[in-house]
Amino acid sequence: MSAPANDRILIIDFGSQVTQLIARRVRESGVYCEIIPYNKADVILDSFAPKAIILSGGPASVIKSGTPRIPDRVFAYGAPVLGICYGQQAMCAQLGGTVEAGAEREFGRAELEATADSALFEGVWRKGARNQVWMSHGDRVIALPPGFHSIGISANAPFAAIADETRRFYGVQFHPEVMHTPDGAKLLRNFTHKIAGCTGGWTMAAFRETEIARVRAQVGQGRVICGLSGGVDSSVVAVLLHEAIGAQLTCVFVDTGLMRAGEAEQVVRLFRDHYNIHLVHREAQDLFLTRLHGVSDPEQKRKIIGAAFIDVFDEEATKIGGADFLAQGTLYPDVIESVSFDGGPSVTIKSHHNVGGLPERMRMKLVEPLRELFKDEVRVLGRELGLPEAFVGRHPFPGPGLAIRIPGEITAEKLEILRKADTIYIDEIRKAGLYDEIWQAFAVLLPVKTVGVMGDERSYEYVCALRAVTSTDGMTADSYPFTHQFLGAAATRIINEVRGVNRVVYDITSKPPGTIEWE
């Protein structure tokens, strides 16, 4: 573990789609935490030794039999407990309260009135104040267990916030972890710092030193191979490992020909020339294009790209020979989902982003230095390691690359058209000072052509779509509100400078939780 033994929070997961946001908010306040499924919490409780426990929300109903329950040891452990939504309902039901199906459900923004002062509200909400919160529930608590009292109500939840100050047990029907509860992070900080007594001393600088020592102990004198894509995750892994084990590291960069303009050169220049990392650069554009020839189905394209990547990587790893470890950029969300109590949505690789796993025949032990971090924390670690902002702050780019931004068959001509259009689009965004306001922006080459008149000639060329979204967590997204002036300038440049495009459209679709990629 990378946190002080006496300063960590355990989050027990009941299946909420926003459980990870609880961990993000807690870590943002400088407190280390981990998420564990409810049916494994009993086993880890003593070894993890949390200073406090948070119970997440979930989709189940407490009033139905066979639904998840809180291990009894949680209440006897002696640490403060905060139940959120389903976590509050389960706590009340198991400690002697009553939960019923509400006559009216409560979803979305709601108003909560603080009915009592509490340590949970200290310095944030006063008695009598009305505050915006985010609700997502059908069931509700109608009778409290012994020792509890109400500290907040809403229109459809008579016990929207409750407290047993003696045992330091608290419950909220709303979700403090989401951005739609403006003061939610402050409430969570009250729980972790003031109620649980955490110091907030978990920093990325401390993580860096701890992880470097852990890698050295794990690897010893062994050799490590790292698949370097040029993305944030693999770049941070490579630099961290280089700092830890130096010449024992070899990076393999498979150039698929599906990257953005100039990225392959940037990768080679930074890691081989600047960091002096032993880098194998395999140019495999022809192989990938050959295997993708005539293929239009997006899922088939991903599988082909994944298989080709594995073949090339395996070939280069065999040439190197003698490697004991394989470094991967596994992140904490991948770890969480792989051990989810219901098997999780991502026990299999998320095909919209990744392209496949390495074959078992490679028989190397894994080194996963980022497996305790979220994406935003990886960026912080990258800055801590001195990686250029061009790499650390780069918009997310999926494993299949431009292949999923060209619906239909992939050709060299289409890739060249898309690279040029995408470069102009991003250049305009940067010149307007908007790049860091946008979570992800990219161009898409649509599989349709239109007739247009350009000057004195008719043209029959492709339609280019532009997409830009804002997101705080990568789970939901809203289209970025560009001005008509900006879109006009970007479209004009693309049409004038990119042969093969005669029309540009802007995608204003917003996405619910799930992938925010194009295909």
Side-chain angles (χ1 to χ4, degrees):
M1 298 299 177
S2 302
N6 63 340
D7 204 20
R8 48 177 72 158
I9 302 293
L10 181 65
I11 300 170
I12 299 179
D13 182 25
F14 292 95
S16 169
Q17 64 177 335
V18 292
T19 299
Q20 293 182 24
L21 295 185
I22 303 173
R24 289 167 63 93
R25 301 295 171 255
V26 171
R27 290 189 181 189
E28 285 167 4
S29 69
V31 179
Y32 183 76
C33 63
E34 289 190 15
I35 299 171
I36 197 73
Y38 80 94
N39 55 356
K40 298 179 180 178
D42 198 12
V43 176
I44 199 175
L45 198 57
D46 289 328
S47 60
F48 190 75
K51 290 199 73 171
I53 299 167
I54 298 177
L55 312 172
S56 85
S61 172
V62 171
I63 61 179
K64 294 182 179 180
S65 61
T67 50
R69 291 295 183 266
I70 305 163
D72 291 336
R73 290 192 61 239
V74 166
F75 302 119
Y77 185 73
V81 178
L82 172 64
I84 296 173
C85 198
Y86 183 90
Q88 182 216 40
Q89 296 168 6
M91 180 166 60
C92 286
Q94 291 177 232
L95 293 179
T98 304
V99 179
E100 70 168 13
E104 295 183 16
R105 298 179 298 175
E106 198 169 27
F107 290 90
R109 289 181 176 85
E111 187 178 77
L112 179 141
E113 179 184 348
T115 56
D117 293 325
S118 167
L120 190 65
F121 296 165
E122 185 180 339
V124 184
W125 293 345
R126 293 181 178 179
K127 179 179 179 180
R130 296 181 179 274
N131 314 279
Q132 178 184 306
V133 296
W134 184 264
M135 293 285 193
S136 181
H137 68 98
D139 298 345
R140 61 180 185 173
V141 177
I142 60 169
L144 294 179
F148 282 86
H149 65 278
S150 173
I151 59 175
I153 61 173
S154 70
N156 294 309
F159 301 107
I162 60 175
D164 179 339
E165 309 280 5
T166 301
R167 289 184 289 181
R168 298 184 297 172
F169 290 173
Y170 301 85
V172 293
Q173 184 59 71
F174 59 90
H175 287 271
E177 68 271 29
V178 301
M179 299 297 290
H180 302 16
T181 300
D183 294 322
K186 296 177 183 177
L187 298 183
L188 289 172
R189 184 182 178 89
N190 273 351
F191 178 71
T192 58
H193 288 64
K194 295 183 178 180
I195 295 171
C198 294
T199 60
W202 188 70
T203 66
M204 201 50 63
F207 176 89
R208 170 187 177 180
E209 296 305 317
T210 301
E211 197 58 27
I212 286 174
R214 191 194 67 80
V215 168
R216 287 172 178 164
Q218 179 187 6
V219 172
Q221 299 302 311
R223 296 178 62 193
V224 180
I225 292 180
C226 174
L228 183 62
S229 69
V232 175
D233 302 340
S234 68
S235 297
V236 172
V237 168
V239 175
L240 181 69
L241 289 177
H242 181 62
E243 189 167 317
I245 59 175
Q248 294 168 245
L249 171 69
T250 298
C251 289
V252 176
F253 170 44
V254 178
D255 188 349
T256 65
L258 304 173
M259 300 179 72
R260 293 170 288 201
E263 285 190 335
E265 295 79 6
Q266 289 177 356
V267 170
V268 174
R269 188 165 55 248
L270 178 67
F271 292 95
R272 179 183 287 167
D273 300 339
H274 178 73
Y275 281 107
N276 198 29
I277 293 175
H278 182 212
L279 175 67
V280 176
H281 177 200
R282 172 67 181 273
E283 298 185 48
Q285 300 94 323
D286 292 343
L287 171 66
F288 281 84
L289 276 177
T290 299
R291 293 196 184 183
L292 287 168
H293 179 70
V295 179
S296 297
D297 179 74
E299 194 63 24
Q300 189 179 357
K301 285 192 291 186
R302 292 184 182 94
K303 291 178 179 178
I304 289 172
I305 294 167
F309 179 87
I310 290 170
D311 289 345
V312 175
F313 189 92
D314 192 12
E315 183 179 328
E316 294 301 326
T318 301
K319 291 178 184 177
I320 296 169
D324 307 287
F325 296 89
L326 172 68
Q328 290 190 166
T330 305
L331 301 189
Y332 193 46
D334 302 317
V335 177
I336 297 167
E337 291 170 342
S338 69
V339 298
S340 175
F341 64 83
D342 61 356
S346 298
V347 170
T348 55
I349 293 174
K350 298 184 287 293
S351 66
H352 73 271
H353 185 272
N354 296 305
V355 293
L358 292 172
E360 292 184 5
R361 67 177 181 274
M362 295 188 72
R363 297 186 180 280
M364 288 184 281
K365 299 175 184 177
L366 291 180
V367 177
E368 300 173 306
L370 308 183
R371 64 180 286 112
E372 294 178 0
L373 301 183
F374 288 102
K375 187 76 170 187
D376 54 334
E377 294 172 328
V378 174
R379 295 185 191 278
V380 175
L381 177 59
R383 295 183 180 100
E384 179 70 29
L385 289 165
L387 266 166
E389 191 62 29
F391 278 81
V392 178
R394 182 176 290 166
H395 289 175
F397 193 59
L402 297 179
I404 64 169
R405 295 176 183 174
I406 303 177
E409 183 182 2
I410 307 298
T411 67
E413 177 195 18
K414 289 181 180 179
L415 285 168
E416 187 62 21
I417 291 172
L418 180 56
R419 280 196 191 93
K420 290 179 179 178
D422 189 73
T423 299
I424 292 170
Y425 180 38
I426 298 301
D427 182 57
E428 287 294 310
I429 289 174
R430 288 190 182 279
K431 287 197 301 185
L434 302 175
Y435 190 83
D436 292 336
E437 294 183 25
I438 296 170
W439 191 82
Q440 187 181 55
F442 54 86
V444 175
L445 193 66
L446 299 182
V448 293
K449 288 186 174 182
T450 63
V451 175
V453 177
M454 301 179 69
D456 296 323
E457 298 179 352
R458 295 181 69 185
S459 66
Y460 184 60
E461 296 176 326
Y462 288 104
V463 176
C464 178
L466 306 181
R467 178 159 169 75
V469 296
T470 59
S471 179
T472 57
D473 48 36
M475 298 173 64
T476 60
D478 289 314
S479 58
Y480 187 81
F482 286 124
T483 64
H484 289 293
Q485 182 180 6
F486 173 87
L487 291 174
T492 298
R493 274 197 65 190
I494 291 172
I495 292 171
N496 286 341
E497 299 177 32
V498 182
R499 290 190 178 276
V501 175
N502 68 0
R503 192 176 304 274
V504 177
V505 298
Y506 182 58
D507 171 31
I508 60 171
T509 306
S510 295
K511 293 283 186 178
T515 173
I516 61 175
E517 279 297 338
W518 187 265
E519 285 189 344

